[in-house]
Amino acid sequence: MNSLCIVIALACYAGSSGCFFYGRGSGARRILLSGIGLLGAGALFDLVYLVAAGLQAGNLPVSNFAQSLTFLALLVALMGFGLIARLHARVIGIVIAPAVTIASAAAYMLERHGRIVLPETLRSGWLPVHVTLALLGYALFLLSAGVSLLYLIYESRLKAKRPLPGPGEWVPSLETLDRINYRLLGWGFAMLSLAIVTGAIWADATWGHFWSWEPQESWSLITWILYAGLLESRLTVGWRGRRAAALTIAVFTVLVGSFLGVSLIHPGHHGGNFD
Amino acid sequence: MNSQLLIVGVNHRTAPVKVRERLAYAPSEIVPALSRLKSAGLAIGEAALISTCNRVEIVGVTANPQAAAESALQFIGVDRRTDSDSFSGAAYRFTGTGAARHLFRVGASLDSMVVGEPQILGQLKLAYAQAVEAGSAGLVLHRAFHRAFSVAKRVRKATLIGRGAVSVSSVAVALAAQIFDNLTDKTIMLMGAGNVAELVARQLKRRGVEELLVTSRTFDRAVSIARELGGTAVPFDHYRPYLKIADVVIGSLAVENPVFTPEEIEPIIRERHYRPMFLIDLGVPRNFDERLNGLENVYLYDIDDLGQVALKSRSDREHEAAKAEIIVELEVEAFDRWIAGLGLVPAIKDIRLSMEQLRDYELNRHRAWLSALDPDGQAKVESLTRGLVNKVLHRVLAGLRSKDGEAGGELYTAELARRLLCGETAFDSPDDDQADDQDDPDDDIR
């Protein structure tokens, strides 16, 4: 039943990606609306899966990598919805839908291997807070990277004198994308900071020390510093536009690399290996 | 011997802006250039010069199109101090029917970079006025330009070609909206004042831009434009510091070289904290160095780029353009007939004169009994004879103008008719003085 939900969600996301890609040239209204609808349907099935898993486990369903990914996909899809509605820029779906499709596909493949029940030692009120904050941060960073990718594509087309038709519901202005990128980064940074702080408090409560320099912690600190630098460069030197977008994508690549690397190679306390 | 319309030049399709900008004339240079052309002693009788962002053309009248075309191109080269080899490959040469068609298509905005844009008609009217001012417009050019204006009017009325025409200016405004999120807090700088540039500034103002700076070579001009558009005038010597706050810069200055280089703008971009800058270059020659487009967050579009963008939304209007082409074709035919008729003028005059003399002769012969008639009767005889002459003339004209022979055939027929109706020795050949008072042949029918 649970894995069926993931499969259906995956299919919805894949369909949504298809719609956005197919409609990207023309911006055809009906196709794009179908894309948005499928994205919503996928999010709904993810939600059903997570609620069922959560009820079964009796805590927030983030006790394994598959569940975390599903939760991430849900957050990205929901925030993507918010962005599309807020900006009237349906084109954002073209980066959101494939991202959640990949996350869901990974979740589906990893689903059988995950543990369902969290060890007793980690059952704490901090669990939902810490994990939700971390995943929110990741989701925001993912969206900022997606928006930056769009920025780079539009920017290069504008430079090459081949602008996309617009502006309109399909194409937001460069300045809008840049500003949204900045906001997403700011919120993502705030979430990551809080996730690190709550994680430290939780670690102190469980093991008696705030920081143990395990891989996930170190890498989180590294990405935190990189994102801090990114925001700083914008505030002081005024790096924005193409440079900011390229850096956002670069830092996000580091984030993804560390997330995957840590989860798959050196899980530590994170990544579902809680021994 | 037969006069023909001739057009040589380059346009946005045949030559890039790089070439066009070297050949372009400022409005004030046109009348002197026409005088130089007249005194150059080419085989060109009448001449007008059209110079816009998108075309540089000489419209002339000549009896020897081949030689005139090449010498007109050479004249442009010499006059613009440019090697004529560098553009003669890109130049078109239209003669006769082709030239009329081209002129009408230009006027109807079918040859425009943005089909249907309305500015070209004004530019054509200006070119005509300048030719009149220079005294280089004669019978054929008067007719040709007036027909071109009326074709433009007909096309505009009968087709939707002008409706929602994506003009270069609206493309520029749409691009600004793709770069900037909110135009109300942006600053525009208008440098110089071409028509299109003013239009862009006006449309941006309408989209909510509050801050408009205007600079121009002459400060008075800047002040008057600023007042008209609701902006602030900036002296030309001091405009540079303002670039720091200018988000959209519209260049429309008449300059030989770009007004600023990437090296000068780069520090300004840094000072602007890399906020995007949109440079719209409407000048020909271009105002902004094309390397500026390579700067971070700087977007430079020149007139050709804007045209390329506009081109995409063009296909919708192609259907309407097809209708317009039909109108043009009909008018070209009518103009052709008129031109051909010009050659018939001497013969028609002869025939008419001969007929009138015949009538006078006969009336004179019967003067004795005619004078016995009452005034009413005399008037009737008068109108009867005139009617007869006119009817004969009308048939002859209609016969001459029916186009069923090969080109030039009507001249032979006209000569034949003249011989038949006038008799070879009836009158002295009046060819010499008729060259000057050639008139609209249509008048001769009435």
Side-chain angles (χ1 to χ4, degrees):
Chain A
M1 157 70 197
N2 279 357
S3 33
L4 187 65
C5 279
I6 287 201
V7 171
I8 294 173
L10 177 59
C12 288
Y13 290 146
S16 171
S17 307
C19 286
F20 281 113
F21 267 102
Y22 184 71
R24 80 185 185 286
S26 56
R29 196 180 152 77
R30 199 173 290 175
I31 294 168
L32 296 181
L33 287 179
S34 319
I36 292 173
L38 283 170
L39 192 64
L44 198 68
F45 280 103
D46 271 351
L47 188 66
V48 170
Y49 166 77
L50 288 171
V51 168
L55 287 177
Q56 199 182 347
N59 53 259
L60 194 71
V62 287
S63 43
N64 62 36
F65 200 45
Q67 290 177 349
S68 300
L69 278 173
T70 309
F71 193 26
L72 184 67
L74 176 65
L75 288 175
V76 171
L78 290 179
M79 283 192 283
F81 251 81
L83 277 183
I84 290 172
R86 181 86 185 277
L87 295 177
H88 305 293
R90 295 179 184 148
V91 67
I92 288 177
I94 210 167
V95 288
I96 293 168
V100 292
T101 307
I102 292 168
S104 295
Y108 170 71
M109 286 188 285
L110 296 169
E111 209 252 339
R112 303 135 212 252
H113 310 299
R115 187 198 339 241
I116 308 296
V117 184
L118 209 60
E120 203 58 40
T121 47
L122 288 169
R123 288 194 182 243
S124 150
W126 288 110
L127 167 74
V129 179
H130 169 72
V131 175
T132 306
L133 285 170
L135 288 178
L136 264 176
Y138 288 163
L140 287 160
F141 288 140
L142 190 152
L143 287 172
S144 78
V147 167
S148 295
L149 187 64
L150 279 182
Y151 185 98
L152 290 182
I153 294 168
Y154 283 176
E155 214 260 356
S156 64
R157 299 217 28 175
L158 219 70
K159 280 266 188 204
K161 319 288 167 77
R162 290 186 299 117
L164 289 155
E169 293 191 328
W170 179 235
V171 182
S173 70
L174 285 184
E175 208 180 26
T176 307
L177 288 174
D178 188 46
R179 207 189 53 233
I180 294 299
N181 180 26
Y182 176 53
R183 291 221 186 127
L184 290 169
L185 281 180
W187 281 103
F189 183 69
M191 294 301 142
L192 182 61
S193 309
L194 288 175
I196 290 174
V197 170
T198 53
I201 295 172
W202 184 17
D204 185 47
T206 311
W207 297 297
H209 46 86
F210 289 103
W211 200 266
S212 51
W213 292 110
E214 67 161 79
Q216 179 67 62
E217 288 173 7
S218 311
W219 278 107
S220 295
L221 194 63
I222 291 167
T223 41
W224 186 87
I225 291 167
L226 288 175
Y227 274 113
L230 195 55
L231 288 167
E232 165 77 2
S233 74
R234 186 188 185 96
L235 288 173
T236 55
V237 204
W239 284 2
R240 64 181 77 213
R242 182 168 54 186
R243 200 181 296 207
L247 285 173
T248 304
I249 292 172
V251 177
F252 183 70
T253 317
V254 174
L255 177 72
V256 172
S258 71
F259 184 68
L260 291 179
V262 168
S263 301
L264 301 176
I265 302 164
H266 299 293
H269 292 316
H270 293 84
N273 188 356
F274 295 95
D275 296 319
Chain B
M1 73 145 270
N2 207 9
S3 293
Q4 278 198 35
L5 204 56
L6 162 80
I7 297 181
V8 297
V10 295
N11 67 11
H12 56 96
R13 255 193 295 276
T14 66
V17 64
K18 261 183 199 142
V19 171
R20 277 164 13 232
E21 66 189 359
R22 279 188 286 124
L23 305 179
Y25 285 85
S28 59
E29 297 173 325
I30 290 195
V31 174
L34 284 172
S35 307
R36 286 196 292 278
L37 177 65
K38 237 173 25 171
S39 56
L42 311 177
I44 297 173
E46 306 173 25
L49 185 50
I50 307 171
S51 177
T52 73
C53 310
N54 291 329
R55 66 186 68 251
V56 178
E57 294 179 350
I58 287 183
V59 185
V61 178
T62 178
N64 184 359
Q66 264 65 43
E70 294 320 310
S71 56
L73 285 173
Q74 260 163 22
F75 169 81
I76 297 181
V78 171
D79 208 44
R80 294 284 87 183
R81 285 189 283 282
T82 302
D83 184 11
S84 60
D85 289 342
S86 68
F87 64 87
S88 71
Y92 38 81
R93 305 141 173 89
F94 292 114
T95 56
T97 311
R101 182 180 297 121
H102 180 74
L103 184 66
F104 292 176
R105 292 186 77 247
V106 168
S109 191
L110 288 168
D111 194 50
S112 296
M113 183 180 268
V114 179
V115 171
E117 57 93 9
Q119 286 136 15
I120 184 64
L121 185 57
Q123 290 161 337
L124 209 61
K125 284 184 171 164
L126 180 68
Y128 173 60
Q130 285 160 333
V132 171
E133 193 190 330
S136 64
L139 177 69
V140 177
L141 280 196
H142 286 310
R143 176 80 174 196
F145 273 95
H146 281 290
R147 287 325 295 166
F149 303 151
S150 108
V151 171
K153 213 193 268 171
R154 261 185 84 180
V155 164
R156 204 150 283 277
K157 239 180 176 171
T159 71
L160 300 174
I161 200 166
R163 185 182 292 180
V166 184
S167 69
V168 165
S169 59
S170 34
V171 168
V173 173
L175 285 172
Q178 286 203 10
I179 296 168
F180 303 111
D181 169 26
N182 181 0
L183 288 172
T184 53
D185 58 355
K186 298 296 179 290
T187 301
I188 320 173
M189 184 187 277
L190 177 60
M191 307 182 68
N195 292 338
V196 186
E198 270 186 47
L199 213 60
V200 175
R202 223 183 270 274
Q203 287 189 23
L204 285 171
K205 285 283 279 187
R206 215 176 299 146
R207 296 283 283 262
V209 175
E210 299 214 334
E211 210 59 55
L212 171 67
L213 304 170
V214 183
T215 186
S216 177
R217 281 289 166 72
T218 50
F219 189 60
D220 287 348
R221 179 99 176 96
V223 169
S224 76
I225 298 165
R227 191 172 299 147
E228 199 192 321
L229 299 177
T232 314
V234 176
F236 193 70
D237 301 333
H238 300 115
Y239 77 85
R240 270 160 202 260
Y242 292 93
L243 285 175
K244 215 176 96 182
I245 57 164
D247 303 293
V248 181
V249 184
I250 307 164
S252 164
L253 295 161
V255 289
E256 293 291 317
N257 297 307
V259 283
F260 40 73
T261 62
E263 291 72 29
E264 289 170 296
I265 295 300
E266 201 162 12
I268 292 174
I269 297 295
R270 260 201 305 279
E271 276 182 78
R272 285 171 57 82
H273 276 203
Y274 298 93
R275 273 178 292 124
M277 202 173 186
F278 184 25
L279 305 177
I280 307 170
D281 191 346
L282 300 172
V284 177
R286 281 170 295 175
N287 286 187
F288 307 138
D289 191 317
E290 58 191 336
R291 289 174 300 148
L292 283 162
N293 195 45
L295 289 181
E296 196 168 333
N297 298 344
V298 173
Y299 306 93
L300 168 66
Y301 276 70
D302 67 25
I303 189 100
D304 277 8
D305 302 331
L306 295 173
Q308 278 304 315
V309 178
L311 214 61
K312 284 185 190 153
S313 47
R314 214 174 85 159
S315 57
D316 308 338
R317 286 194 307 281
E318 251 152 36
H319 181 68
E320 292 301 311
K323 276 200 261 176
E325 297 282 4
I326 293 171
I327 295 174
V328 165
E329 223 36 58
L330 291 173
E331 293 276 358
V332 166
E333 246 171 61
F335 185 79
D336 248 10
R337 278 200 301 275
W338 179 82
I339 279 267
L342 275 185
L344 304 178
V345 168
I348 289 166
K349 283 205 163 172
D350 283 0
I351 294 167
R352 181 180 197 103
L353 195 63
S354 151
M355 290 279 151
E356 286 293 335
Q357 280 175 345
L358 204 61
R359 185 167 83 97
D360 282 350
Y361 176 77
E362 288 300 317
L363 286 174
N364 251 334
R365 218 153 58 93
H366 299 284
R367 196 178 39 216
W369 66 267
L370 278 173
S371 59
L373 288 175
D374 57 82
D376 192 40
Q378 284 185 9
K380 271 186 180 148
V381 171
E382 178 72 25
S383 99
L384 185 143
T385 51
R386 178 178 301 129
L388 201 57
V389 164
N390 280 346
K391 284 215 164 66
V392 172
L393 273 172
H394 184 80
R395 286 203 174 172
V396 171
L397 277 173
L400 288 179
R401 285 183 179 174
S402 65
K403 261 205 145 181
D404 46 285
E406 73 268 34
E410 62 275 345
L411 283 181
Y412 172 75
T413 319
E415 185 53 29
L416 199 65
R418 197 172 71 88
R419 285 191 193 179
L420 286 173
L421 292 167
C422 307
E424 194 50 29
T425 53
F427 310 101
D428 291 329
S429 169
D431 271 358
D432 296 347
D433 39 276
Q434 269 177 356
D436 300 325
D437 62 338
Q438 279 189 351
D439 210 344
D440 190 333
D442 287 351
D443 294 343
D444 292 296
I445 312 177
R446 285 168 217 129

